[in-house]
């Protein structure tokens, strides 16, 4: 249950004085001042650069030795095998909701993985069959069979089919889970790859249909065609029968851009209304250009920080992530959703826009989709979701109705039909197994189509939402999932999860593995909704950008302090977990407040923030963190960069760091160097590197299960085996 606001407020007021006392008695060490010639502040002072050689002989020997040690320790624990079998049963279970995707003809597609299809199978059925207890699926493409036939470790990265009949498709295949993909043309009517069809060699980038014989492609076209972030800088038009070097260039960005790509904006009947080029200047700012019939381009008058969300009833729907004055003279705020009549606006950029949504201070839009006639929006208030349906009135204004769905849960807007106004909506909570609703956006009704049985025993468990007070006074919400009879004496093994970046929200969701491998065994699970995320919209994210990144770290630390102040847990029983940007979170906690924790699971992390922009896709994140090549920005990054701030003589717990050799987004060198530096300073470290899997670290389900079992074996050893603080 979620406690009443009055009771939560009472508990919060009690905890604030305790948290203040904790901060007074155990002052947080200030992040280090920029040290100029200190450890790893230049290539000359970094003794572990060789670990950045992804497949280097010396580096891989180091990886193999550490894998042998860490796997020996963790798999040697008598509890590992039980955890592994439980994880394997969950991830390979067929008792899951098949994620549905509408086709133009009303049929349903799904991509499915299980014990018999570890790489997965793309399959299809009718809507009526999908709604039944036992849908009759037809296989479209079997990735396991394809991998076996071609001797490849293919990982399916999605497909794009040409409207309106969606017979011809572009299939993206990754070798081992990398972001870079090979694109191949596929005929879903014959269920075979097209002989002599479009084939694009492995590269980061994209491909989009214009018509049956024409693609817009953004790829690695050779030297000088990629940005410093490692993504395409050039968009070309490729005609059937042409080689890639014969394709016509229609747009070229700048080397300092993040990426450029092309796509078509289509109406509900699949008719192209505009062909667009997206130029990503940085991670958050960009330009949209219209590709004209004569091959020229015209820059559209949109905010630098904005997203095109939908085209519905001829209305172009856009979200602005900045305060903006439109060419019409209208002023809009950060987070507003606005709309124009597309044809009028393309003809005259000064055409007035209509305000569709203006979220409140504690509201955030987490998803926008459209059916044939409606705009469907997942709108959250204080991290609890609802779904609203919007439609333009004859006057041009937009009215809204609320779908009849459960309250105080996470809602997700899924695939929407462009034949009618049906849309799938997912509903879940920390203790509520996922349910899938099929909603009629026109009628405002929603019916349960699928629901999952419980995957762990949640009897007696409850969910509470609290607020911690960050260093600058900001109230930071967080969720605690625990047994109702939990003793408030600091004795509870507690796992605190965080991410805190890129406007990515951590919303309540049902995790069978967290439930089975942690909660059911008596653990407490906590999720921190810190700044840097998107829980309260763009402003919540922007409050922790660049020079203000430390605010997000302080928010996370404040949640840890609040958990201890409430006697939910204590330092010997508190562990943290996060991946990617969340791995940076873990590094900041480790180097700034190691006195608060006794375990850290650091997943595919960013760690060397003075070199992040030089490694793989790192340059694309300069808008989030700043540029280490700019002295002023380097100074604020160096103060918190975990790699440079590791010190001897600190109360660091033994940490578990894991990464993937095939990760071509966050370089595995971050994790390797973190482990090497900790060992040099005399700390025990468990390090594991999956030699497949990409950034998601799961090229197949067996590897996913192994990773989960390793993590929870480690957490059991560190938190459940330790006595609580006196």
């Amino acid at each position: 249950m979620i406690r009443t606001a009055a009771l939560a407020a009472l508990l919060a007021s009690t905890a604030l004085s305790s948290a203040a006392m904790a901060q007074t008695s155990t002052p947080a060490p200030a992040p280090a001042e920029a040290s100029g010639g200190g450890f790893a502040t230049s290539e000359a002072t970094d003794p572990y650069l060789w670990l950045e050689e992804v497949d280097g002989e010396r580096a891989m020997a180091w990886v193999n030795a550490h894998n042998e040690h860490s796997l020996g320790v963790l798999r040697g624990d008598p509890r590992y095998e039980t955890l592994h079998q439980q994880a394997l049963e969950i991830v390979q279970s067929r008792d899951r909701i098949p994620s549905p995707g509408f086709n133009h003809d009303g049929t349903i597609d799904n991509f499915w993985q299980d014990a018999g299809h570890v790489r997965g199978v793309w399959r299809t059925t009718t809507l009526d069959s999908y709604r039944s207890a036992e849908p009759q699926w037809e296989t479209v493409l079997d990735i396991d069979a394809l991998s076996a036939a071609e001797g490849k470790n293919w990982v399916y990265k999605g497909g794009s089919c040409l409207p309106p009949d969606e017979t011809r498709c572009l299939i993206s295949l990754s070798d081992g889970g990398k972001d870079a993909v090979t694109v191949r043309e596929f005929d879903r009517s014959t269920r075979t790859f097209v002989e002599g069809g479009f084939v694009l060699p492995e590269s980061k980038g994209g491909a989009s249909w214009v018509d049956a014989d024409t693609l817009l492609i953004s790829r690695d076209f050779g030297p000088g065609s990629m940005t410093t972030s490692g993504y395409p800088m050039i968009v070309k038009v490729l005609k059937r029968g042409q080689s890639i070097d014969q394709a016509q260039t229609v747009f070229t960005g700048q080397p300092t851009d993040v990426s450029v790509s092309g796509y078509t904006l289509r109406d509900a009947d699949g008719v192209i209304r505009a062909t667009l080029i997206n130029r990503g200047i940085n991670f958050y700012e960009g330009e949209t250009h219209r590709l004209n019939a004569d091959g020229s381009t015209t820059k559209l008058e949109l905010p630098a920080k904005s997203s095109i969300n939908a085209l519905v009833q001829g209305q172009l729907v856009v979200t602005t992530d900045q305060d903006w004055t439109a060419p019409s003279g209208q002023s809009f705020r950060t987070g507003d959703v606005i709309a124009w009549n597309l044809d009028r606006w393309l003809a005259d950029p000064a055409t007035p826009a209509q305000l569709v949504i203006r979220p409140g201070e504690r509201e955030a839009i987490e998803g926008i989709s459209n059916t044939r006639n409606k705009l469907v929006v997942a709108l959250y208030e204080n991290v609890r979701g609802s779904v609203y349906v919007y439609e333009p009135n004859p006057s041009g204004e937009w009215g809204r109705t609320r779908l009849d769905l459960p309250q105080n849960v996470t809602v997700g807007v899924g695939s929407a039909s462009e034949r009618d106004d049906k849309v799938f909506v997912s509903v879940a909570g920390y203790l509520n197994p996922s349910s899938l609703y099929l909603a009629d956006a026109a009628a405002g009704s929603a019916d349960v189509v699928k629901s999952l049985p419980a995957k762990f025993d949640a009897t007696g468990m409850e969910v509470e939402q609290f607020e911690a007070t960050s260093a600058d006074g900001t109230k930071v919400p967080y969720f605690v999932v625990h047994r109702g009879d939990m003793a408030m004496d600091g004795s509870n093994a507690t796992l605190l999860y965080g991410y805190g970046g890129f406007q990515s929200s951590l919303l309540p969701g049902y995790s069978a593995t967290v439930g089975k491998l942690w909660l059911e065994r008596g653990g407490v699970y906590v999720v921190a909704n810190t700044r840097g995320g998107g829980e309260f919209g763009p402003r919540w994210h922007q409050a922790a950008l660049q020079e203000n990144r430390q605010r997000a770290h302080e928010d996370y630390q404040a949640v840890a302090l609040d958990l201890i102040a409430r006697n939910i847990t204590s330092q010997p029983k508190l562990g943290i977990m996060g991946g990617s940007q969340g791995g940076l979170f873990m590094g900041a906690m480790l180097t700034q407040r190691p006195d608060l924790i006794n375990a850290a699971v650091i997943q595919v992390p960013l760690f060397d923030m003075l070199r992040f922009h030089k490694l793989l896709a790192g340059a694309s994140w300069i808008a989030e963190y700043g540029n280490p090549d700019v002295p002023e920005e380097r100074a604020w990054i160096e103060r918190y960069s975990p790699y440079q701030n590791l010190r001897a003589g600190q109360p660091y717990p033994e940490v578990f760091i894991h990464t993937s050799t095939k990760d071509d987004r966050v370089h595995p060198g971050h994790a390797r160097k973190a482990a090497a530096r900790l060992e040099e300073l005399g700390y025990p470290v468990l390090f594991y590197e999956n030699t497949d899997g990409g950034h998601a670290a799961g090229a197949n389900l067996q590897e996913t299960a192994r990773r989960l079992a390793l993590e929870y074996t480690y957490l059991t050893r560190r938190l459940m085996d330790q006595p609580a603080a006196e």
Side-chain angles (χ1 to χ4, degrees), residues 179-181 201-206 217-236 252-260 616-617 619 664:
D179 284 354
V181 295
E202 182 180 86
S203 170
K204 291 184 179 180
I217 61 173
S218 51
R219 318 290 295 165
D220 185 347
F221 298 115
S225 69
M226 303 291 276
T227 67
T228 53
S229 296
Y231 294 100
M233 188 176 70
I234 296 170
V235 176
K236 296 189 178 189
T252 303
Q254 298 295 319
T256 54
D257 292 343
V258 172
S259 68
V260 298
L616 296 176
D664 56 351

Side-chain angles (χ1 to χ4, degrees), residues 330-585:
Q330 297 168 284
S331 294
F332 296 101
R333 299 179 189 170
T334 300
D336 283 353
V337 179
I338 57 181
W340 291 274
N341 178 286
L342 176 64
D343 292 338
R344 293 177 193 164
W345 179 68
L346 289 176
D348 179 8
T351 298
Q354 186 68 45
L355 178 66
V356 181
I357 310 171
R358 174 163 288 165
E361 274 298 311
R362 303 293 275 188
E363 291 183 329
I365 295 168
E366 290 292 345
I368 297 179
S369 186
N370 66 282
T371 61
R372 186 173 187 85
N373 303 297
K374 310 286 185 178
L375 191 71
V376 185
V377 179
L379 184 65
Y380 279 69
E381 182 177 7
N382 206 30
V383 207
R384 298 176 175 92
S386 300
V387 175
Y388 289 90
V389 176
Y390 293 79
E391 184 178 21
N393 297 322
S395 63
E397 296 182 353
W398 290 68
R400 81 172 188 177
T401 57
R402 184 172 178 164
L403 285 183
D404 184 15
L405 293 166
Q407 304 299 305
N408 296 326
V409 292
T410 287
V411 295
V413 178
S415 182
S417 172
E418 294 187 335
R419 297 177 76 232
D420 50 33
D421 292 311
K422 293 185 177 68
V423 58
F424 286 106
V425 178
S426 61
V427 174
Y430 289 117
L431 301 177
N432 307 104
S434 298
S435 296
L436 185 70
Y437 287 71
L438 180 59
D440 184 334
S445 60
D447 299 311
V448 176
V449 178
K450 307 278 184 188
S451 58
L452 288 182
K455 291 291 186 178
F456 62 94
D457 184 1
T459 303
M461 293 184 190
E462 59 185 55
V463 179
E464 297 180 89
Q465 187 182 35
F466 299 117
E467 284 186 339
T469 302
S470 195
D472 64 358
T474 299
K475 301 296 184 182
V476 180
Y478 66 95
F479 289 99
V480 182
V481 189
H482 63 91
R483 293 188 180 278
D485 59 359
M486 172 180 69
M488 302 294 281
D489 60 0
S491 66
N492 303 292
T494 300
L495 177 59
L496 169 59
Y497 187 85
Y499 184 78
F502 296 96
Q503 203 172 324
S504 180
S505 303
L506 297 182
L507 306 175
Y510 190 82
S511 171
T513 52
V514 170
K516 190 69 177 178
L517 278 61
W518 190 248
L519 292 172
E520 194 177 279
R521 299 169 61 232
V524 176
Y525 185 61
V526 182
V527 176
N529 300 121
T530 67
R531 282 174 290 184
E535 287 87 348
F536 299 131
R539 293 182 188 277
W540 190 248
H541 166 238
Q542 293 165 12
L545 278 180
Q546 300 202 16
E547 69 270 26
N548 295 317
R549 171 60 42 179
Q550 180 62 15
R551 289 177 178 172
H553 303 153
E554 290 168 351
D555 289 356
Y556 191 64
Q557 294 160 18
V559 173
L561 283 163
D562 205 52
L563 289 166
I564 294 171
R566 293 178 190 275
N567 279 325
I568 291 173
T569 192
S570 57
Q571 178 273 329
K573 311 294 283 186
L574 178 60
I576 57 175
M577 176 188 283
S580 193
Q581 146 63 30
L584 171 60
F585 244 34

